[in-house]
Amino acid sequence: MNDVKLLGRLVKKPDLAVSKDSMRCSFVIACKSSYAQKEADFIPCVAWDKAAKVIYDNFNKGQAILISSGSWRTKRCQNPDGRSFYFNFCLVRKFEFVGSKADNYRFLEDDSDPVIDIDTAINTYIHSLNFDDDDYVLNDFD
């Protein structure tokens, strides 16, 4: 069974990519490490279609999000020099808003750079991936 649950805060505003047939939202969340109290794990996440639109429209840097159901995915990629590497990310199936509106809205005007710029590197990898229709499950939030 491959079922991922994550609770964390977005490290920057999510990115949205729109094609003729689908929408993809990529973002990175910082989750407290279970091994060290003062460390965080930076988890790249991808959501598709309806979920992508809702996340892009409603979440900003610093806001908390609960990925209540997702799956851990691994993609084999190639660097421009032809060397292969593997990239891991969470494919979001279901998510939830967490925290109060006041807590979440206080981050809307905070556009300062994060201390760790790992989110830029991760989002670059996510956008360079070629996703097939088999790589995601359509979410129904109606």
Side-chain angles (χ1 to χ4, degrees):
M1 178 185 337
N2 183 356
D3 189 30
V4 174
K5 294 177 184 1
L6 299 167
L7 175 63
R9 292 191 179 274
L10 278 77
V11 298
K12 72 174 210 171
K13 174 76 176 157
D15 292 321
L16 185 68
V18 179
S19 72
K20 184 177 93 174
D21 300 324
S22 63
M23 282 184 274
R24 180 186 73 222
C25 180
S26 57
F27 55 99
V28 177
I29 60 173
C31 302
K32 288 184 182 178
S33 174
S34 59
Y35 298 107
Q37 288 183 337
K38 294 185 179 183
E39 291 184 13
D41 295 315
F42 294 86
I43 312 292
C45 300
V46 175
W48 290 92
D49 297 325
K50 290 180 184 179
K53 183 71 171 139
V54 172
I55 290 170
Y56 180 77
D57 287 345
N58 292 284
F59 285 90
N60 287 290
K61 177 183 173 182
Q63 285 183 265
I65 186 170
L66 171 64
I67 309 298
S68 54
S69 180
S71 61
W72 196 246
R73 305 300 298 264
T74 301
K75 285 289 198 183
R76 184 174 179 210
C77 306
Q78 267 192 343
N79 286 334
D81 63 0
R83 291 180 24 180
S84 293
F85 67 96
Y86 291 92
F87 180 73
N88 297 300
F89 62 97
C90 176
L91 178 63
V92 177
R93 286 194 200 114
K94 294 180 183 177
F95 68 92
E96 297 177 26
F97 294 86
V98 291
S100 68
K101 284 185 181 181
D103 183 37
N104 287 335
Y105 286 120
R106 71 186 175 95
F107 293 99
L108 289 176
E109 296 187 23
D110 180 12
D111 61 353
S112 60
D113 291 331
V115 175
I116 299 173
D117 197 31
I118 193 168
D119 58 312
T120 302
I122 291 172
N123 277 320
T124 300
Y125 287 137
I126 290 173
H127 289 295
S128 70
L129 301 176
N130 292 323
F131 288 95
D132 298 324
D133 288 341
D134 294 338
D135 289 334
Y136 66 96
V137 177
L138 293 175
N139 294 316
D140 187 8
F141 291 97
D142 294 332

